[in-house]
Amino acid sequence: MTLDRRMFLSGAAGGLVATALPSSSAAQGVIALPDDLVSNEYATVTAVATPQPVVAMTFDDGPHPSLTPRLLDILAARNIKATFYLIGSRVAQWPQITRRIAAEGHEIGNHTWSHPYLNRRSTQNVIREIDRTTEVIFDATGRPPVTFRPPYGAFTRSQRLMLHEHRRLPTILWSVDPQDWRRPGANAVASRILRGSRPGAIILSHDIHSGTIAAMPATLDGLRARGMQFATVSQMLGWPLWQTRHFRRVAAS
Ligand SMILES: [Zn+2]
């Protein structure tokens, strides 16, 4: 991970109360912003500063036709809500799985259309990758994503600021990376996540690897045994649940 990671400090704004809007006094640490929320300059999140024992599970690169449904079953059996950073071209291929993710109370974020290294792309190309994905997620679920995750974390600071300014999408990175894409085995994935997780952690993994799915029962039960609760990315930011957000379409520019 070569990008500089800016810790997002939200104080009281970070927490589990999904319906509480950040007050203006809390706006110091509040990121970005659909238009029902206060805005300021923060464009990048790697974790949330909170004393509450809460973590966000995030799953990238889906939907996968068989593994994502298996993961959804595992999450549903535990009543855990997670955040899925979906690839637009895969949403187009599996819109019914995308709809199931949203219908079961999980959040969906934008992970580009074709999973490129965006730091090598023009602004116009970056916006096209992201807008096209927002559109297909909107078509499948009736709502647009409110956060963005760049493939490989490869997104420059000026790109993050640009995206925040033009699309009101904060860039969500992560504070725990089990390197599950290297396929180290389910036990390694689970133990790396358990070892790395602190209150406010954003945990990266990928629901396109069977080892990751196999790791999830022990991971989720282990986090819970350590007293952790689970929140979506929006909840971690002190935002309303994704499914209840007000939104409007931003004119393309
Ligand atoms: Zn990815």
Side-chain angles (χ1 to χ4, degrees):
M1 184 66 209
T2 54
L3 292 174
D4 80 297
R5 289 186 176 189
R6 176 177 302 190
M7 178 67 79
F8 169 62
L9 302 176
S10 69
L16 280 172
V17 185
T19 53
L21 298 185
S23 67
S24 53
S25 64
Q28 187 69 21
V30 174
I31 304 195
L33 352 164
D35 47 9
D36 52 340
L37 289 177
V38 182
S39 117
N40 75 12
E41 76 278 16
Y42 288 96
T44 313
V45 180
T46 57
V48 170
T50 173
Q52 299 184 51
V54 56
V55 298
M57 298 298 304
T58 67
F59 297 97
D60 290 11
D61 296 358
H64 184 283
S66 59
L67 297 178
T68 301
R70 273 171 54 194
L71 174 60
L72 289 169
D73 291 344
I74 290 167
L75 293 168
R78 293 163 176 78
N79 194 27
I80 289 170
K81 308 305 182 202
T83 302
F84 289 77
Y85 285 98
L86 300 184
I87 296 174
S89 61
R90 299 178 70 95
V91 171
Q93 213 171 344
W94 292 292
Q96 72 286 3
I97 299 174
T98 304
R99 269 192 292 281
R100 182 182 165 194
I101 293 170
E104 296 188 1
H106 306 290
E107 180 165 353
I108 294 175
N110 189 318
H111 196 46
T112 74
W113 183 264
S114 66
H115 210 266
Y117 283 91
L118 292 176
N119 56 332
R120 300 172 187 170
R121 300 294 189 94
S122 68
T123 295
Q124 189 179 18
N125 196 266
V126 166
I127 288 291
R128 178 163 169 70
E129 279 277 339
I130 291 167
D131 281 356
R132 209 176 160 196
T133 302
T134 290
E135 293 282 339
V136 76
I137 291 170
F138 182 90
D139 289 345
T141 67
R143 54 187 54 254
V146 295
T147 66
F148 171 71
R149 174 169 283 159
Y152 318 104
F155 208 42
T156 67
R157 180 162 188 272
S158 64
Q159 287 177 316
R160 301 191 309 261
L161 293 170
M162 177 279 296
L163 184 63
H164 182 257
E165 182 181 344
H166 292 287
R167 291 295 182 268
R168 298 184 167 194
L169 290 170
T171 295
I172 308 297
L173 298 173
W174 54 83
S175 59
V176 178
D177 179 2
Q179 302 259 310
D180 63 318
W181 57 273
R182 294 182 192 271
R183 301 169 189 259
N187 290 342
V189 171
S191 66
R192 288 171 184 177
I193 291 174
L194 291 172
R195 207 181 320 125
S197 294
R198 314 261 182 281
I202 296 175
I203 298 162
L204 171 69
S205 57
H206 301 79
D207 55 324
I208 56 167
H209 302 306
S210 58
T212 300
I213 307 305
M216 282 304 121
T219 301
L220 300 171
D221 295 343
L223 286 167
R224 214 164 233 175
R226 287 161 170 73
M228 288 294 184
Q229 298 174 286
F230 298 91
T232 64
V233 166
S234 282
Q235 288 178 294
M236 291 280 276
L237 299 179
W239 290 359
L241 283 173
W242 181 59
Q243 282 83 354
T244 66
R245 286 301 294 271
H246 302 139
F247 62 88
R248 62 175 174 160
R249 296 186 97 160
V250 177
S253 60

